[in-house]
Each structure stands twice: as structure tokens, then as C-alpha cells.
Amino acid sequence: MDSTNSKKKKVVVIGGGLVGALNACFLAKRGFQVDVYEAREDIRVAKFACGRSINLALSHRGRQALKAVGLEDQVVSQGIPMRARMIHSLSGTKSAIPYGTKNQYILSISREHLNKDLLTAVEKYSTAKVHFGHKLLNCKPEEGIITILGSNQVPVEVTCDLIVGCDGAYSTVRTQFMKRARFNYSQQYIPHGYMELTIPPKNGEYAMEPNYLHIWPRNTFMMIALPNQNRSFTCTLFMPFEDFEKLTTGSDVLDFFQKYFPDSIPLMGEEALKRDYFLLPAQPMIAVKCSAFHIGSQCVLMGDAAHAIVPFFGQGMNAGFEDCLVFDELMDKYHNDLSACLPEFSRFRIPDDHAISDLSMYNYIEMRAHVNSRWFIFQKNIEKCLHAIMPSTFIPLYTMVTFSRIRYHEAVLQWNWQKKTDSQRTNAELITGWCQLHQDLPAFEKPASADCCNEALKVYLTRNSDLGQLGNSEFNIIILNDYLVKTQIKNS
């Protein structure tokens, strides 16, 4: 890093949310003069913190970005590990689906607390300052000029070397991009909204198992619950707006929950449920895609301003944090040359951020519907087995997205290749082939069911603890895939 050159640069960050604050830390650490302009008041002193409150799931990409500015340990210490999905059926039975290996987990993090910590971290840099209650009125990216309206209601022009737009899905900075020719932009409101509810502590402890992301999947809608440090759970109900609108009275709400989420009612309390449901209307969710992310060498978009996504893969914050980390890595590579770094950031990052947007849409279907399928559970077990056997060849999609820094679009390509390959030489065949090759294992004389395949998998893993001693594993996989195609294992 050319520290002499970096001290001459003045950077303005629009937005003091999660990505804006973290970006300010990266830029100040580089020696730049950084001014953050945030329209809201300081949430650390505000009586009521407005804005989104969907709990956050911090995973590897976000942790790597925090690590780069020395904040990982502090943030992780305030998170609650979630090692698996806990599926709540209509009957009240529960089953866990691990996210990965026993050492892999995501962290439930409070958005408000994390934002406060990041703002405090920014202010520790002598070259950085956060201006609260300052609204962006206008932006001239090509000239590096912004117009800010402060608490005195007098517009002020600010000149800088770089404008970083981190002002969210409804970005004011991005509106200047939209006035330019050949700027591509799309937005999509999905037909589902979300509403937050609460499961309070029970006798001072968690009312449910704390180290899980709890899911009540109901095919066209779902409810999730993430643990908080105060022993409560934040529940989020995701549902089509027309279904929300059908529930107009407290009795309607109780009847609906009794039908679809009966085990949650005693945890929430009937009166609290009826009260909380009508506190705020269901909120919309928007997905935004655009390109390019930059204008010249003076302006760049990051986080939701560049790629707002729906929350169903838990990657919104992580992708935004990775934006900051990628930009920092490029600044190292190009020695703080903004004219080289900004175009490369757009070229490098756009396919990844578009890919995670699409994956997030897909994962909503998985969370609210697929997890109900015994075939889906079986597939997850097979994926785990194949990953253990061929860790560099077969990697589950969730593992690539959540527990690595494999580029998002490369993860999609790998996933599609694995699915295509599986259609020819599929997962479950591995088990059946070993059953055929080793006569002491359970034999499948009839079309295999998910239960008997799972039992064979357990025996296989028990008998073959050294997964490296497989011999011709490719041959075994081919045998097993042919078997699966012939028997056509379906959802039970």
C-alpha cells in the first residue's frame, strides 16, 4: 500500500449502516480521510432504533471481512452458534438438518448491536468521522461532488476523490447511475412479506433449543426463529401478502397459528401473539440488480445499493461485507489506483452478486417446502457422504456459499455441474453399490426407499471409517446412479 498517496485521498461514504460502517473502517485503515454521512440519528443514543430488524446470520465471508479490520473476535463473541436447521412439523415433532460438519456453524447476530459496534470502530480511526442526521440531496459522481443537508437545513457541497454509495436498496447515490446511458437496473418485489414476532425466555432460559435456526415450513409460507443473547427468539413469519391480509382479528391470528404453528402458541403466549401481530403491517422484500457498480474513478456502489437480495440464504450482510473485503484486496493489488480498481471491482463482483441474488430466491423454496421432504433429507445425507469421500470434487451448495469464499457464481456453476453429473451417476448409488460389493451390508432386492438407503448409509459409514480407502469410487458411483435411475426413488 502506498501510504503517501493514500493520505491525499478524501473519501465520502454515504450510509452508516452495516456495509457503510465496515467500509469506512477499511478505508480509514488504509490511511484515507473518511467522512460517513448517515441520514438517521446515532442509533447508539437514539431512544428508538428504526429500520430493518430481521436477525442476521453471520458466516465465513462476513467473518473474513471483519477479521481483516480486527473485529471478528469481538463480533463472534456476541453471536450464538446455529449448527443446524431445526424443522418443526405440523404434528409438533422436530428434526435437525446439520448445516455442515460438526465444526461448521453460522452465528445469530443482532443487527442493531453489530451496527453500533461498527460505528464505534469507525470513530476509533483518527482520519474518520461519522456525521449523523445528514441527508444526501444530490450527487455528481463524475465531479466527485455531493450536496448534503444537515440538521441546520442548509445545503452544503462536499468535494472528494471517491464517493462510496452504501445507502441501501433505495439508494440515492444509485439514482444518479440510473440517469446514465447503458446502466442496467432491475428490481423485483416478491409476493411475500415478513412480520416479526417474539418467543420470550422461559424461566430465564431459552424456550427452545438455542443452537439451531428453527423453521416451521408450510410449503407456500414459513416461520423461522433465531436465538438472541437475552434468551429470547426473534421469529419471522414469511407469507404471501394476501394471506397476511386475511387475518384481521386476534381470533383469526390464533386460529391460523393453531392450524399451522400449534407448538409455537404456548411459547409466544396467546395475548402476546395477538398483540404483536398487529403492531406493524407485513413488510415487503425487494431484490435489486444493476450494472455497472461504478462511474469512472470517482463513485462506486456496494452492499444493498448495488445488489439488494431477499434474506433466504442468509447472505445479504455477508455479501455486502465481502464487497468491502474484495474492494480492499483490489486496492492492494492496484496500489490505491482508483481508476484501475473501480472498473475491476465491477467486472469481478457483478456476476457474484447477481448469482447470490438468484440463489437467495431459490433457497426460499427450499426452506419453506423442500425441507418437508424425506427425499430432501436423504439427499442431504448423501451429499455429506460424497463430500467426505471427495472433498475437493463434490461440495454441497450450502457449504460453498456459507463456509467458503468460493465465488458465488463459481459455486452456482459447480452446483449445476454436480446436479448434471448426479443425473447420470447419482448419489444414492454409492450406497447401493457398496451393498452389492460387500455382501454383509443390507441388500436392496426391491426399489430402495429413503429409509433403507439411510440405514445403508449409516452401516456404510460405520464400516468404512477410513473414507480414503475406497478403491475405484467412481465405478461404485456409476453403479449406484444407474440403480437410482432404475428404481426411481421418490418422495415418500
Side-chain angles (χ1 to χ4, degrees):
M1 176 172 61
D2 184 348
S3 58
T4 303
N5 183 43
S6 68
K7 288 180 180 178
K8 298 177 182 178
K9 287 185 169 62
K10 179 178 180 181
V11 181
V12 163
V13 178
I14 306 299
L18 299 176
V19 174
L22 181 60
N23 234 328
C25 290
F26 272 105
L27 295 164
K29 183 173 181 284
R30 194 164 285 278
F32 296 167
Q33 179 184 338
V34 181
D35 287 280
V36 181
Y37 292 98
E38 168 56 51
R40 299 171 298 174
E41 62 179 319
D42 189 344
I43 61 172
R44 294 168 296 179
V45 298
K47 294 182 180 179
F48 176 75
C50 60
R52 293 178 300 167
S53 55
I54 293 178
N55 274 44
L56 303 168
L58 178 66
S59 55
H60 180 74
R61 297 171 197 269
R63 290 182 63 166
Q64 290 299 107
L66 291 168
K67 181 179 180 179
V69 293
L71 293 174
E72 182 187 19
D73 291 344
Q74 176 185 341
V75 173
V76 167
S77 69
Q78 299 174 22
I80 301 170
M82 298 183 292
R83 302 181 183 279
R85 297 166 171 169
M86 181 66 79
I87 308 303
H88 294 246
S89 70
L90 268 174
S91 66
T93 59
K94 294 183 285 188
S95 57
I97 305 177
Y99 283 123
T101 67
K102 64 181 180 180
N103 295 321
Q104 290 176 326
Y105 57 87
I106 58 178
L107 284 160
S108 176
I109 298 285
S110 163
R111 177 187 296 273
E112 181 182 351
H113 292 163
L114 177 56
N115 204 168
K116 290 177 178 178
D117 287 346
L118 289 172
L119 289 170
T120 299
V122 173
E123 293 179 337
K124 291 181 180 179
Y125 291 94
S126 60
T127 58
K129 185 175 182 180
V130 184
H131 307 266
F132 296 101
H134 283 67
K135 181 180 179 180
L136 178 67
L137 293 181
N138 192 25
C139 175
K140 298 177 181 178
E142 298 90 341
E143 302 173 38
I145 298 174
I146 63 170
T147 304
I148 292 291
L149 184 67
S151 56
N152 61 2
Q153 300 300 304
V154 177
V156 176
E157 278 196 353
V158 178
T159 302
C160 59
D161 298 296
L162 176 64
I163 302 166
V164 185
C166 301
D167 49 340
Y170 305 98
S171 170
T172 303
V173 177
R174 193 180 61 233
T175 60
Q176 301 303 314
F177 283 62
M178 295 172 68
K179 297 175 182 178
R180 295 173 60 87
R182 300 173 61 194
F183 176 73
N184 296 313
Y185 171 80
S186 67
Q187 70 174 45
Q188 178 186 0
Y189 281 99
I190 65 171
H192 295 65
Y194 73 91
M195 175 180 291
E196 291 197 339
L197 303 165
T198 302
I199 293 177
K202 183 178 181 180
N203 300 322
E205 296 298 330
Y206 288 103
M208 301 185 296
E209 301 88 344
N211 296 118
Y212 297 87
L213 192 157
H214 293 260
I215 307 177
W216 289 258
R218 299 299 181 258
N219 295 316
T220 59
F221 56 90
M222 71 173 180
M223 184 169 70
I224 67 172
L226 277 72
N228 299 311
Q229 287 280 7
N230 66 359
R231 305 294 195 272
S232 69
F233 285 86
T234 298
C235 301
T236 309
L237 175 60
F238 297 98
M239 192 163 65
F241 278 101
E242 55 264 32
D243 291 337
F244 278 113
E245 292 162 0
K246 292 176 183 177
L247 308 180
T248 59
T249 68
S251 295
D252 291 340
V253 174
L254 284 180
D255 290 344
F256 175 82
F257 271 74
Q258 188 61 54
K259 182 177 181 179
Y260 293 108
F261 312 115
D263 60 331
S264 72
I265 295 177
L267 301 177
M268 295 180 179
E270 291 188 5
E271 294 304 315
L273 173 58
K274 290 190 291 185
R275 179 192 69 237
D276 292 350
Y277 186 90
F278 295 104
L279 285 178
L280 292 171
Q283 301 298 303
M285 289 174 283
I286 188 173
V288 169
K289 290 182 179 179
C290 69
S291 64
F293 289 171
H294 77 287
I295 294 177
S297 61
Q298 291 84 27
C299 189
V300 65
L301 301 173
M302 295 193 201
D304 284 356
H307 50 82
I309 65 177
V310 293
F312 304 115
F313 221 122
Q315 288 297 300
M317 172 190 66
N318 291 289
F321 281 8
E322 192 175 45
D323 284 348
C324 304
L325 181 56
V326 168
F327 189 76
D328 188 67
E329 291 167 346
L330 291 173
M331 289 290 277
D332 276 343
K333 179 178 180 180
Y334 293 105
H335 308 290
N336 297 323
D337 183 353
L338 297 176
S339 64
C341 184
L342 267 63
E344 181 63 10
F345 178 76
S346 280
R347 186 200 68 79
F348 188 89
R349 198 63 182 153
I350 285 171
D352 293 327
D353 289 331
H354 287 185
I356 191 57
S357 179
D358 295 338
L359 284 174
S360 298
M361 290 287 194
Y362 159 79
N363 212 49
Y364 185 31
I365 302 172
E366 178 172 304
M367 290 178 72
R368 61 181 165 85
H370 292 174
V371 293
N372 285 320
S373 164
R374 293 172 67 187
W375 171 238
F376 174 82
I377 307 301
F378 171 62
Q379 285 181 308
K380 289 298 181 184
N381 287 334
I382 298 302
E383 287 180 2
K384 183 177 180 180
C385 175
L386 287 175
H387 182 48
I389 296 166
M390 300 175 288
S392 61
T393 303
F394 188 97
I395 310 173
L397 174 64
Y398 193 89
T399 298
M400 289 189 282
V401 170
T402 307
F403 301 122
S404 82
R405 279 198 66 198
I406 294 172
R407 294 182 62 185
Y408 288 125
H409 88 278
E410 291 178 354
V412 172
L413 293 174
Q414 172 81 0
W415 179 48
N416 288 332
W417 175 83
Q418 289 173 176
K419 288 192 298 181
K420 181 179 179 180
T421 303
D422 289 348
S423 68
Q424 301 167 0
R425 51 178 188 74
T426 240
N427 310 337
E429 311 290 53
L430 181 60
I431 303 167
T432 312
W434 274 94
C435 293
Q436 292 172 351
L437 293 171
H438 301 272
Q439 297 301 315
D440 58 332
L441 295 181
F444 296 156
E445 296 180 357
K446 298 179 180 180
S449 68
D451 283 344
C452 70
C453 284
N454 275 323
E455 184 59 34
L457 176 61
K458 293 178 183 178
V459 176
Y460 165 73
L461 291 175
T462 301
R463 303 284 178 85
N464 296 275
S465 57
D466 184 3
L467 294 174
Q469 305 299 316
L470 287 179
N472 191 351
S473 60
E474 288 291 319
F475 172 75
N476 297 325
I477 294 172
I478 293 171
I479 294 174
L480 290 166
N481 282 315
D482 290 341
Y483 185 85
L484 180 63
V485 171
K486 292 175 182 177
T487 56
Q488 295 181 341
I489 299 174
K490 301 294 185 182
N491 293 350
S492 54

